[in-house]
Amino acid sequence: MKRKFFMMIFAALVSFGAFCEEMTIAFFDPILVYCTPDEKNWIPTVVNNALVSQVNRYSDLLPFDSATITTTLEQIKKSEDAAYDERMIIEAGKLINANYLCYIKVIKISKLFNVYFNIINATTGVPIATYEDDCTMDDLYKSGKDSIVNKAVLKMLEEDLGGAHSVKGIEAFKKTMAWKSSGKDVTKRDNDFRVAFLPPALINCDNVWMRELLPGRLVNAFFSYSKITPLDQGVEKGAIEKIKMSESGIYDEATITEAGKLVSAPYYCYAAITQTKPGVYQAYFNLITTKTGKPIAIYHISCSADWIRGIKDFNVVDLAVYTMLTEDFGGEYNNESTESFGKILQKQLKTKDISLAQEKSSQKYTVYEDKPYVPPKERNGIQKSQTGGNSNGGELSDFRKRLGL
């Protein structure tokens, strides 16, 4: 009896030890795309601090040693001269002892930000929780129910991770956010249907932000509304770089097809966006078998930049993913959220704003063009000189226009 009791205690300790090992999460600085120098100064600190704080407060996941993360990133930079992107973060995550890694990608397009949160299995590089949304600058540092960080943390902890790492205090957090639980279990993913998400081919496109925006949006849509398993997100970029180095370096559909054959997944997915005239695009979404390069699901639509960028919570990626899941695959890979997702899409498609957006872009979604950074004090000095009747007022006015002030 005693032996059985001690064996039970030992087994419990082993289980507890294994459980504790799964509690470490490494946080990486956000990836910032098309952001102004001023935004690059404050976004990493403000947004990442809020993310670390909320995950620490409402989960049992322990933040990983930040000094080790910094050292690992520096080692990768020295050995590969790598850019700070998803691939580099995932490579660093595989080298450290954390169980999970977490990062944010912020893409600035005009006055809006597309923000993509990712919690990834640090061993495999595969996403296990995602959140993607559009927001204003204020939403990046707000608190309470308007905070995009709060929305992301709640969705990832409660829906994607099924509350496995949530702590008691999260109930009060749910009330603050007025969050309604779906009561569904974590989606069981089909590991035989693993997909690599490659950046889109852009033909004659002015809006280069699409290349940054669409892969993350495709990952989020398939992750949230299907049983399909995303591949290690660092692998795709490595495959494309090999193709670019060995051939002409032109990034087009042929390059993507060759890169797709190099990735260790049965399938890969990408978009091909062709601009037919200012503000109007032909969008092809393709899900392709790696072995043959033949498509198994295709969605084609004529759309505007507004549809691709997303207006009023609607974007053409969601429509493409839902159509491929329900028509090409006949619902075989649907999860518990697919049906409600379809109802939301149908409701949005009937609105006047969505219908108009398909035919013509508002032209408000332009990429930020890098301009000389002028500190606030100097900006005020320029404004005072101009309004003070200075003889150089015309020159200052031209200077301010060049700076976008």
Side-chain angles (χ1 to χ4, degrees), residues 51-173:
L51 178 64
V52 175
S53 173
Q54 296 304 71
V55 172
N56 190 49
R57 181 179 297 172
Y58 297 114
S59 81
D60 58 17
L61 298 171
L62 301 176
F64 193 73
D65 174 13
S66 59
T68 303
I69 295 171
T70 303
T71 303
T72 305
L73 288 171
E74 287 173 355
Q75 289 173 346
I76 294 175
K77 282 183 179 179
K78 287 178 182 178
S79 62
E80 297 186 11
D81 193 26
Y84 185 77
D85 57 14
E86 294 96 326
R87 183 189 175 197
M88 185 179 182
I89 286 173
I90 291 165
E91 284 182 0
K94 290 177 180 178
L95 292 175
I96 62 179
N97 258 339
N99 188 259
Y100 305 131
L101 60 94
C102 183
Y103 72 90
I104 307 166
K105 187 171 185 178
V106 180
I107 305 170
K108 170 78 176 292
I109 304 172
S110 192
K111 295 182 180 180
L112 293 176
F113 297 85
N114 176 264
V115 189
Y116 182 47
F117 295 80
N118 235 333
I119 295 179
I120 289 175
N121 182 313
T123 304
T124 64
V126 175
I128 58 171
T130 69
Y131 181 81
E132 185 259 344
D133 203 354
D134 295 326
C135 69
T136 64
M137 183 176 69
D138 292 348
D139 297 330
L140 290 172
Y141 57 79
K142 279 181 180 176
S143 59
K145 61 183 179 61
D146 295 322
S147 165
I148 193 166
V149 172
N150 285 353
K151 293 175 184 176
V153 168
L154 191 52
K155 188 260 183 181
M156 291 190 294
L157 288 178
E158 288 294 283
E159 290 189 11
D160 297 337
L161 299 177
H165 292 288
S166 299
V167 295
K168 290 182 179 178
I170 203 166
E171 294 302 323
F173 185 41

Side-chain angles (χ1 to χ4, degrees), residues 115-366:
V115 189
Y116 182 47
F117 295 80
N118 235 333
I119 295 179
I120 289 175
N121 182 313
T123 304
T124 64
V126 175
I128 58 171
T130 69
Y131 181 81
E132 185 259 344
D133 203 354
D134 295 326
C135 69
T136 64
M137 183 176 69
D138 292 348
D139 297 330
L140 290 172
Y141 57 79
K142 279 181 180 176
S143 59
K145 61 183 179 61
D146 295 322
S147 165
I148 193 166
V149 172
N150 285 353
K151 293 175 184 176
V153 168
L154 191 52
K155 188 260 183 181
M156 291 190 294
L157 288 178
E158 288 294 283
E159 290 189 11
D160 297 337
L161 299 177
H165 292 288
S166 299
V167 295
K168 290 182 179 178
I170 203 166
E171 294 302 323
F173 185 41
K174 289 179 186 178
K175 291 179 181 178
T176 301
M177 299 293 292
W179 192 77
K180 295 181 180 179
S181 174
S182 62
K184 296 169 184 172
D185 296 329
V186 180
T187 298
K188 293 181 180 178
R189 307 206 170 270
D190 188 332
N191 287 321
D192 291 330
F193 205 117
R194 289 176 293 114
V195 179
F197 294 92
L198 301 173
L202 303 182
I203 300 113
N204 197 37
C205 286
D206 297 329
N207 291 318
V208 294
W209 50 262
M210 295 174 188
R211 185 162 289 154
E212 297 288 345
L213 179 72
L214 294 184
R217 185 160 276 176
L218 281 164
V219 171
N220 189 68
F222 273 107
F223 186 91
S224 299
Y225 304 111
S226 80
K227 297 175 183 176
I228 292 171
T229 305
L231 184 72
D232 176 344
Q233 290 180 282
V235 172
E236 299 97 315
K237 290 197 173 186
I240 289 170
E241 285 167 8
K242 286 180 183 177
I243 296 292
K244 282 185 176 181
M245 288 174 65
S246 63
E247 298 184 6
S248 64
I250 298 172
Y251 186 83
D252 55 14
E253 292 178 61
T255 311
I256 294 171
T257 300
E258 290 301 315
K261 293 176 182 178
L262 292 177
V263 300
S264 56
Y267 309 95
Y268 61 95
C269 182
Y270 77 97
I273 312 293
T274 304
Q275 183 172 325
T276 55
K277 58 182 179 180
V280 180
Y281 303 84
Q282 293 287 322
Y284 292 87
F285 294 87
N286 306 274
L287 198 54
I288 294 173
T289 56
T290 305
K291 288 182 180 179
T292 64
K294 292 182 178 180
I296 56 172
I298 297 177
Y299 183 76
H300 168 234
I301 194 169
S302 176
C303 60
S304 66
D306 290 344
W307 267 45
I308 297 171
R309 178 65 178 84
I311 58 171
K312 296 188 182 299
D313 302 320
F314 174 87
N315 66 76
V316 75
V317 174
D318 285 347
L319 183 59
V321 170
Y322 177 76
T323 305
M324 288 191 288
L325 286 173
T326 54
E327 293 185 6
D328 295 311
F329 296 121
E332 181 180 357
Y333 298 102
N334 290 3
N335 67 14
E336 299 84 355
S337 303
T338 317
E339 185 178 352
S340 58
F341 176 47
K343 290 178 180 177
I344 293 170
L345 281 175
Q346 290 300 321
K347 185 177 180 182
Q348 290 172 332
L349 282 167
K350 293 177 182 177
T351 67
K352 185 178 179 181
D353 289 339
I354 298 290
S355 300
L356 290 174
Q358 185 177 11
E359 300 167 3
K360 186 178 179 181
S361 295
S362 64
Q363 298 298 333
K364 65 181 178 180
Y365 300 125
T366 54

Side-chain angles (χ1 to χ4, degrees), residues 373-384:
Y373 175 63
V374 180
K377 288 183 180 179
E378 293 184 29
R379 290 182 208 169
N380 293 337
I382 292 171
Q383 290 171 353
K384 287 178 182 178

